[in-house]
DNA sequence: CCCTTTACATTGCGACTGTATTGCAAAAGG
DNA sequence: CCTTTTGCAATACAGTCGCAATGTAAAGGG
């Protein structure tokens, strides 16, 4: 039966199991054997598609990034053509917040990877690029949509850094159980109110 | 020579070594033997002061909290009596940002614990209480110092959540190397500008 | 039809983990 | 002086880890 399998599919299947393990027990519980058990395959198969544990981790990190990217894309597309900057930003950022159980699980994994890459700078490239790209886009939307930019009361770059930080911080706090998702969403709206306030 | 040792001191010494290991290699590298080596003591001694690894971890988590608390306290005290709300908040939040190497190291450990507790809710109490207390205090300062509160354009509670989230997010991004500390500080100031803007 | 390649499964190895156990020296209390 | 307690060291143990090596069944190419 060999020769007929799709490598990408298998790797995705394994990465999926990895993320389930990581979401429930943390990245330190991610071992070849645990992942294999979660995927209901043999440990040998996992080793066949990922020659080392690091390779598997790096792949999973890329999957996390792609999932978030896809989430943002879907949220934006749902808005139709030429949405207002504020609505666009709200949709994007809300899509990245851990507001339902699926995003909570992914968020826990992402948080674990944040700590993971903070100690392994070599692997950090994936998340780094993502943030940088988002930053530029957000700054553009703020420049285009905030009335406070014209009179110099808001600097788009700085405001973008702040807005993305708000999102990240709200996510972390919600994952830590410090307050419920609704509170985070309300705070995000308040932040957008501040940024797009008239006068 | 026994009977003459200060338990708290020894535990602090060991916790210090633990944090060095965690800051450099992550929490998953924190083992009895590694910590013992970093503290330059025998593994038996570590075991003498912490009966289990979990006990050691919980203690270290408390140390992280206390260090941050102390940092905030010092920053506030340096301001003298009755500081303006905005200056007070800036000093507090800047003290919690990873702006120098010492705070970067502590920040990496704190980030690791964030991911750690996200998966072990039983241990999360320490960080939870800290955030809640900070939240209330920050809300009070905003209520007292922001001109935007009077006319209802800023809700102190929501703004406090946002402000603390900005701080957390900036910290995470700096630790991830997404931008330099100066950028984070500038974004924090911009956020305070927004919150305390006249008119 | 053979033979190479692919897709696994199994097994084994050395290193490391947390924890329990045991041993022993030194100080303090009676 | 002697006994108990304390502080620590060393060792043993069962389990898990990543990874390498090996075996085997099946499909496709020549």
């Amino acid at each position: 039966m060999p020769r007929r399998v799709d490598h990408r599919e298998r790797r995705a299947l394994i990465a999926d199991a990895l993320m389930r393990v990581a979401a429930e027990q943390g990245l330190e519980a991610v071992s070849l054997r645990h992942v294999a058990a979660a995927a209901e395959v043999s440990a040998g198969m996992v080793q066949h598609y990922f020659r080392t544990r690091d390779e598997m981790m790096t792949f999973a990190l890329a999957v996390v990034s792609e999932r978030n990217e896809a989430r943002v894309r879907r949220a934006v597309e749902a808005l139709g053509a030429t949405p207002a900057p504020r609505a666009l930003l709200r949709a994007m950022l809300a899509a990245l917040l851990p507001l339902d159980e699926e995003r909570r699980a992914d968020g826990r994994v992402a948080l674990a990877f944040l700590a993971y890459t903070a100690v392994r700078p070599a692997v950090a490239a994936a998340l780094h690029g993502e943030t940088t790209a988002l930053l530029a886009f957000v700054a553009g939307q703020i420049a285009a949509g905030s009335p406070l930019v014209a009179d110099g009361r808001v600097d788009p770059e700085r405001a973008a850094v702040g807005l993305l930080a708000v999102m990240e911080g709200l996510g972390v706090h919600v994952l830590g159980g410090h307050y419920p998702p609704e509170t985070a969403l309300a705070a995000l709206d308040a932040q957008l109110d501040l940024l797009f306030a008239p006068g």
Side-chain angles (χ1 to χ4, degrees), chain A residues 4-194:
Chain A
R4 204 75 129 228
V5 296
D6 180 356
H7 264 235
R8 287 191 313 160
E9 180 193 310
R10 293 277 200 229
R11 286 166 79 99
L13 178 97
I14 294 171
D16 220 65
L18 186 157
M19 293 192 51
R20 260 177 284 140
V21 172
E24 287 171 21
Q25 320 189 51
L27 272 192
E28 56 178 74
V30 170
S31 70
L32 293 183
R33 292 161 176 84
H34 279 162
V35 171
E40 293 180 40
V41 301
S42 77
M45 172 160 160
V46 173
Q47 203 171 184
H48 182 68
Y49 288 100
F50 298 100
R51 285 181 301 184
T52 78
R53 186 186 117 110
D54 274 345
E55 195 178 313
M56 188 170 65
M57 291 298 218
T58 304
F59 185 83
L61 178 55
V63 170
V64 171
S65 289
E66 282 167 25
R67 284 203 195 180
N68 276 340
E69 205 177 316
R71 259 192 268 268
V72 169
R73 206 174 43 241
R74 279 198 303 270
V76 169
E77 283 169 1
L79 254 49
T82 64
R86 190 200 152 132
L88 178 57
L89 288 178
R90 196 198 119 102
M92 287 178 55
L93 298 177
L96 292 172
L97 248 28
L99 301 177
D100 55 31
E101 194 43 47
E102 180 189 311
R103 278 176 288 177
R104 281 181 66 84
D106 280 17
R108 278 195 295 268
V109 180
L111 180 57
F113 268 117
L114 235 42
Y116 185 80
T117 58
V119 154
R120 286 166 192 76
V123 203
L127 296 179
H128 183 99
E130 193 183 1
T131 301
T132 305
L134 254 176
L135 223 38
F137 183 81
V138 170
Q141 292 300 311
I142 292 174
S146 170
L148 300 181
V149 170
D151 53 6
R153 287 164 63 189
V154 160
D155 171 64
E157 321 284 344
R158 289 200 216 296
V161 170
L163 191 53
L164 235 53
V166 168
M167 184 277 256
E168 190 86 46
L170 290 174
V172 167
H173 284 155
V174 167
L175 288 177
H178 298 142
Y179 38 75
E182 309 89 67
T183 302
L185 203 53
L188 176 62
D189 279 327
Q191 176 74 10
L192 290 170
D193 283 342
L194 229 44

